[in-house]
Amino acid sequence: MKRYQGHKSAFVIAALSGAFLMGCDEAAMPAPVEKQDQQWRAPPSVTDVNWKGETATVSGVADPGGRVVFIVESGQSYAATADTQGNFSLSVMVPPEGLLLQPRLQTGRSTVGGPGQLFIAPREVGLAAVLFPGDPSYRLTGNGPLDAVDRDGEAQVISGRATGDRATQLDVNGRAIDAHADANGRWAVVVPSSDAPSRVVVAGRSYDVPGYSADTSDFSGRVGHGWLVRRNFGDGAVQSTWFPLDK
């Protein structure tokens, strides 16, 4: 098999520099983005999502005492106040097509926005992830070794998690690619985007990844053996994320 070294584009640079900003440990806390009253303010960071019927409970960390707000595109919002340790928890209603939420932190008259959007699929899908424009998505819920495939029409970022040693080898349409995980076991590699479907093999598991669609409309739903979220940011910027569903 040929060994493929990857593809460079603006999407690639953003992906590799901003990958895995939000995690489930101390890596979950994004870099501080605002200074007020001599204190750094950080946007809320989601660490866990649990479902009960049509409701999902979102847990995470934020500035202690800060008001955490998650805003739906329709304008509806969900809010909670972080406790003295910075922990927060709130419940949201999840429709059949899933839910996209924009995190905000309010402290006094100051509002800090997070860099990504939280996506929550229905309970029977069991999928939650943080989506970043131009960066690989960060899947919060467990799955197999392949977490997500992000595309913008120029390149695609394939990401997942390593088990055992930190080195992972992928096979993408017959080409071998070496992936090296970070300290949290997360890895990401970049290959050219393709309109055609592709076969990705990771840790002995084979995934049929759907081709990149020219459709630019927002979309959320099942595609193939996975779930697709497509977002149009305007000015021709469209990013789609396909999450394989092993169960």
Side-chain angles (χ1 to χ4, degrees):
M1 291 184 295
K2 296 180 180 178
R3 192 164 302 279
Y4 192 71
Q5 296 301 323
H7 174 78
K8 298 295 183 181
S9 74
F11 181 74
V12 173
I13 295 171
L16 297 183
S17 63
F20 310 141
L21 187 59
M22 300 176 76
C24 296
D25 314 301
E26 53 269 350
M29 180 62 74
V33 296
E34 181 172 315
K35 188 176 182 182
Q36 176 187 325
D37 299 331
Q38 303 304 313
Q39 291 184 336
W40 290 105
R41 305 296 182 187
S45 178
V46 177
T47 57
D48 196 20
V49 176
N50 290 286
W51 290 261
K52 185 176 181 180
E54 297 180 352
T55 302
T57 300
V58 179
S59 304
V61 293
D63 276 4
R67 181 173 173 79
V68 177
V69 182
F70 284 83
I71 303 173
V72 185
E73 192 173 52
S74 64
Q76 182 181 5
S77 63
Y78 299 89
T81 300
D83 64 19
T84 55
Q85 302 300 313
N87 300 308
F88 71 85
S89 179
L90 55 83
S91 296
V92 300
M93 293 296 297
V94 183
E97 69 274 14
L99 187 67
L100 267 175
L101 298 159
Q102 183 69 51
R104 295 282 188 270
L105 176 70
Q106 296 177 350
T107 52
R109 291 179 294 178
S110 174
T111 300
V112 180
Q117 289 179 297
L118 173 64
F119 175 74
I120 306 175
R123 179 182 61 83
E124 60 270 19
V125 178
L127 167 66
V130 182
L131 311 182
F132 299 100
D135 284 353
S137 300
Y138 193 101
R139 190 165 182 160
L140 295 167
T141 49
N143 193 60
L146 178 63
D147 274 347
V149 178
D150 288 277
R151 289 170 167 161
D152 67 351
E154 295 290 333
Q156 59 181 337
V157 180
I158 303 173
S159 59
R161 2 190 158 192
T163 55
D165 59 34
R166 297 300 187 185
T168 298
Q169 186 176 93
L170 296 75
D171 182 286
V172 182
N173 293 331
R175 292 181 172 181
I177 305 174
D178 293 324
H180 300 281
D182 63 13
N184 296 310
R186 303 273 182 161
W187 54 263
V189 297
V190 183
V191 299
S193 186
S194 172
D195 295 340
S198 58
R199 172 68 59 86
V200 177
V201 181
V202 189
R205 296 197 190 185
S206 181
Y207 301 88
D208 293 317
V209 181
Y212 184 78
S213 173
D215 192 341
T216 59
S217 60
D218 291 339
F219 175 82
S220 176
R222 289 184 180 270
V223 173
H225 297 290
W227 192 278
L228 179 71
V229 179
R230 184 172 56 237
R231 297 169 295 158
N232 189 324
F233 303 106
D235 296 326
V238 179
Q239 183 173 332
S240 68
T241 305
W242 184 76
F243 299 97
L245 301 176
D246 282 359
K247 59 183 180 180

